Amino acid sequence: MSDTILSQLPAEYNGELLPSIREEFLKSEKTIVALDDDPTGTQTCYDVTVLSSWTVPLLVAELKLKPSILFILTNSRSLPEKDAVQLALEVGGNLLAASEETGRAIVPISRSDSTLRGHFPAEVNALADAVNMRGAIRILFPAFIEGGRLTIGDVHYIMEQRTLIPVAETSFAQDASFGYRHSDLREWVEEKTKGKTKASEVTSISLEDVRIGGPERVYEKLLKCKAGETVIVNACSKKDIEVFVMGLLTAERKGQKFLCRTSATFVPIRAGLVSGKILVPQKEKVSNGALVVVGSYVPKTTSQLEHLLNKKSHQPIEVNVTELLQPGDHLSYLSSIVQQANKWLSDGKDVVIYTSRRLETGSDADESLVINRLISDFLVSIVKGLTVRPAFIVAKGGITSSDIASKGLASQRALILGQIIPGVPVWKLEEKSKFPGITYVVFPGNVGDATALAEVCEKFKPGPVNVQEGI
């Protein structure tokens, strides 16, 4: 079925667009600011700063540098909707103030984990209010090329072993807090807006529009959109995204305003930049072991963890979530884990700390988020308690990697170095963090095959150094 669907698609648009997009973007003298509800959105960028704090002075300092792209890690996916809305209003308000103070115009983008899991439309609407873009056209762009997420005929798919699976048939759609029933994006919008926006009211940019009509056809359709309208975009290649962005830029010149809710692939292309750099890191010989922390529960993460444990390359420490959720004082439990991890790390042994694999959920979405928060807070407390600096740190899962970076390691700023494997970004944390300048790997729960986690850990062991551009 997958081969049939893909073989029937029109050929990609013929033309080199990325240099023109870059030229147009540089002329605009703007900074793309991606508000990311999950740190895995950085997986397609390199040489870009990511912030986990958003005070006006910090934003002013960054905008004065006139970067093409700036990420702000909000981790709003871990919050109840009302708190996520307040956060979006706060971050957006601070961004607007910083933009006005520096004179640096911004292009806000709402970047969401898997794009379809998160607080939509509430979070996007709050951001629009905060940055004076209430009437902006909402662009929904979930295609994530590096992760095999494609949109064809308005249906969003995940490519698994050369098979296209509609997303509503996957584990992601069963998420306790952000589940959904529809793979057709028009119907998904109606579902998530609780019927306020009907599927028939959603505009679609089709692959025929993109590949046959090109930027001109995209521009024509966007120009006809009304204020506040929702537009979904079909795409299954980076070239498709380039065509859409070129059409969007033309429509912007004619006065249309857009607020995008997107995947990670979209962000660098919006600035006319090549997506990604594969980084083979400098492998310095250190006496301490490395640390892996696994919090994600998706099946792909579990299979990767099982493979790593079967290799017996890491000393295992399981966090018993069932025990953790019982009433009582867990300080002694926490202390025992920290003590054991410190000892093994100082002995030069690699350590993997992971949550027990039974998924614990609440009676409703908010209660499930509370459980997720409790588990994440415990993992953060473990990292806070470490006194031995690991050789490097790998954090598996979006909320896990966000909380450990910002809370466990007290890092407000990091530099995205590139990807250790496609879709897995590597950060260098700031000197003010708990372990100054440490290499930090943000490993999304849904990326890679069963051997990927072990492969990433292996890549940091001493050996030759090489940097390969592109993906």
Side-chain angles (χ1 to χ4, degrees):
M1 177 181 175
S2 300
D3 290 340
T4 301
I5 293 175
L6 294 173
S7 65
Q8 292 176 346
L9 296 178
E12 288 186 355
Y13 181 82
N14 184 22
E16 188 65 37
L17 297 173
L18 204 59
S20 297
I21 294 172
R22 183 61 178 166
E23 181 181 1
E24 180 81 13
F25 178 75
L26 290 175
K27 285 180 181 177
S28 73
E29 297 186 339
K30 296 178 180 179
T31 291
I32 292 173
V33 184
L35 276 66
D36 203 343
D37 75 355
D38 180 295
T40 57
T42 63
Q43 62 202 146
T44 56
C45 292
Y46 59 94
D47 296 336
V48 169
T49 295
V50 56
L51 304 177
S52 59
S53 179
W54 43 84
T55 64
V56 173
L58 183 59
L59 294 175
V60 165
E62 293 298 330
L63 290 181
K64 282 183 177 179
L65 299 175
K66 300 181 178 180
S68 292
I69 300 173
L70 176 66
F71 271 85
I72 299 177
L73 175 56
T74 67
N75 202 28
S76 57
R77 192 165 59 92
S78 69
L79 302 174
E81 183 175 291
K82 63 178 182 179
D83 295 336
V85 165
Q86 286 302 121
L87 185 60
L89 290 171
E90 177 187 337
V91 178
N94 288 2
L95 262 176
L96 186 61
S99 175
E100 291 173 348
E101 183 173 335
T102 60
R104 181 71 172 178
I106 60 171
V107 179
I109 288 180
S110 178
R111 213 298 305 185
S112 178
D113 173 68
S114 304
T115 309
L116 303 184
R117 290 194 301 167
H119 296 291
F120 180 92
E123 190 171 40
V124 179
N125 291 339
L127 176 60
D129 288 344
V131 297
N132 293 334
M133 293 182 65
R134 184 173 299 178
I137 297 159
R138 275 45 165 188
I139 303 294
L140 182 66
F141 203 119
F144 172 39
I145 308 307
E146 293 85 350
R149 291 173 172 267
L150 315 176
T151 308
I152 304 169
D154 297 340
V155 175
H156 195 53
Y157 296 94
I158 297 178
M159 178 75 79
E160 292 281 2
Q161 297 178 341
R162 298 185 59 80
T163 299
L164 286 173
I165 304 172
V167 285
E169 300 175 15
T170 70
S171 61
F172 300 101
Q174 311 308 315
D175 187 287
S177 300
F178 301 109
Y180 48 89
R181 302 187 308 276
H182 296 99
S183 302
D184 184 300
L185 294 182
R186 293 189 188 207
E187 295 175 350
W188 181 90
V189 170
E190 180 171 336
E191 176 185 349
K192 287 300 178 179
T193 61
K194 296 180 172 59
K196 291 182 180 178
T197 300
K198 302 298 183 184
S200 59
E201 299 170 339
V202 177
T203 294
S204 169
I205 304 295
S206 69
L207 278 170
E208 287 73 22
D209 292 330
V210 170
R211 296 189 169 191
I212 299 175
E216 182 66 22
R217 177 59 176 159
V218 173
Y219 153 71
E220 290 172 353
K221 294 195 75 170
L222 291 178
L223 200 61
K224 294 178 182 178
C225 291
K226 299 176 182 177
E229 189 172 332
T230 299
V231 177
I232 62 169
V233 184
N234 289 266
C236 51
S237 73
K238 292 180 182 179
K239 177 66 74 174
D240 294 338
I241 302 176
E242 293 173 18
V243 172
F244 173 77
V245 168
M246 183 59 76
L248 179 144
L249 291 174
T250 306
E252 278 189 334
R253 288 201 304 269
K254 295 295 184 179
Q256 289 283 49
K257 293 184 179 181
F258 302 97
L259 183 55
C260 300
R261 177 79 159 185
T262 78
S263 72
T265 311
F266 182 88
V267 178
I269 293 176
R270 176 63 178 81
L273 296 173
V274 175
S275 178
K277 176 176 73 174
I278 298 299
L279 173 72
V280 180
Q282 295 185 7
K283 305 173 183 180
E284 301 175 0
K285 292 185 177 180
V286 294
S287 58
N288 296 340
L291 174 65
V292 178
V293 182
V294 179
S296 169
Y297 282 95
V298 297
K300 185 167 287 189
T301 290
T302 298
S303 66
Q304 291 169 349
L305 174 63
E306 289 174 351
H307 180 81
L308 184 69
L309 294 175
N310 288 337
K311 286 177 64 68
K312 301 189 184 303
S313 57
H314 288 65
Q315 301 299 315
I317 300 177
E318 182 182 59
V319 175
N320 189 322
V321 173
T322 302
E323 178 181 337
L324 194 61
L325 296 180
Q326 298 302 313
D329 186 357
H330 301 290
L331 286 178
S332 60
Y333 185 38
L334 173 66
S335 179
S336 65
I337 292 175
V338 170
Q339 183 177 358
Q340 183 63 78
N342 274 325
K343 183 180 186 307
W344 276 335
L345 289 172
S346 65
D347 289 343
K349 297 178 179 179
D350 297 335
V351 177
V352 55
I353 299 173
Y354 61 97
T355 52
S356 51
R357 295 291 88 191
R358 176 182 171 180
L359 178 60
E360 302 284 354
T361 59
S363 59
D364 58 25
D366 283 350
E367 190 172 309
S368 293
L369 285 173
V370 170
I371 291 173
N372 292 345
R373 169 58 54 205
L374 189 151
I375 297 168
S376 184
D377 286 348
F378 191 79
L379 295 176
V380 165
S381 295
I382 293 172
V383 175
K384 277 186 174 180
L386 294 178
T387 56
V388 178
R389 178 189 174 106
F392 60 89
I393 299 174
V394 179
K396 191 80 167 73
I399 294 173
T400 300
S401 54
S402 175
D403 282 350
I404 288 177
S406 62
K407 299 177 181 178
L409 298 170
S411 178
Q412 293 188 340
R413 189 177 190 275
L415 179 66
I416 307 164
L417 301 177
Q419 302 169 91
I420 187 67
I421 61 173
V424 179
V426 180
W427 297 359
K428 180 179 180 180
L429 300 191
E430 65 179 342
E431 292 300 314
K432 296 179 181 178
S433 64
K434 177 182 176 69
F435 299 123
I438 196 168
T439 298
Y440 187 72
V441 182
V442 177
F443 204 133
N446 61 345
V447 170
D449 59 17
T451 67
L453 181 57
E455 177 188 347
V456 165
C457 294
E458 184 68 26
K459 283 179 177 290
F460 283 94
K461 293 186 176 180
V465 178
N466 181 37
V467 173
Q468 179 182 355
E469 299 288 344
I471 293 179

